[in-house]
Amino acid sequence: MTAEYDHADVEEAWELLGAGAGPRCVLFDFDGPLCRLFPDDSSKPLAVALRATVEAAGLLDVLSADERTDKDPHVVLRAVHRARRNHDVGDLVAQLDKQLTEGERDAARDAVPTPGAAEFVTWLAGRGTRLAVVTNNAAAAADDYLRDRKLRDRRLRDSFEAVHGRAADPDLMKPHPDVLHRALGDLGLPAEEAVMIGDTPTDTLAAERAGVRFVGIGRNPAKRQRMRDAGAKVVLASYDRLLELIPRRAGPMRPSS
């Protein structure tokens, strides 16, 4: 990405998120825009554990070759849910969802904060922007993480009105817009008054399908390009440039654990 293109993205992101009164609400994806829930491929053991549960149920053959090695535990959950059309999976989807939720909550305790996220969230909330989380992870995992993080004397969870996560039906996970619709319904706001911050093509597509404007945050060029390929028009490498544009009335905010 050229410096000129990045500068244009920063200007447009600021227009969407920071200029003037800003949007009525901002919807944050959790894993990526707020933290790294499974850094350095640490999701692999959880994916392996879910596959072991599938194998114990005698249904390992419903997974494709790629799904038997994928590091993403969500892939296993989606695959078994898909298989219910042709196989008797009983309550296996619910079992996997519970196991996945427990694993995500465990991971939330050691999640790595996304640089600048807590400062940007706190600034948005301080200016009156209503905030919600919209994630394919378990809502409980996001809630745990936000309650454990502090900025100055406030828990990060205090800045969010609502935390919405994975529904019982995996078909409603992003890129389906269900979680965005639930959050907007909770806030009582129409889609045109919201902006979503996400980091994946599924976030990009979910925002588009919900009629919500979108800003991508991607920590490396490959992630940023995947969002652009999915249709994202505004993609940043980090929150740094946005934080530089915030009028400072006090000293810098420093997060604490």
Side-chain angles (χ1 to χ4, degrees), residues 146-163:
L146 295 171
R147 290 185 188 281
D148 284 345
R149 299 295 303 174
K150 290 182 181 178
L151 195 64
R152 289 183 172 170
D153 60 346
R154 287 171 55 85
R155 295 193 181 278
L156 198 55
R157 179 65 176 84
D158 297 336
S159 296
F160 289 88
E161 282 191 48
V163 175

Side-chain angles (χ1 to χ4, degrees), residues 80-94:
V80 173
H81 181 68
R82 180 193 66 228
R84 81 197 189 286
R85 302 181 184 113
N86 301 309
H87 298 79
D88 179 9
V89 302
D91 64 351
L92 185 57
V93 172

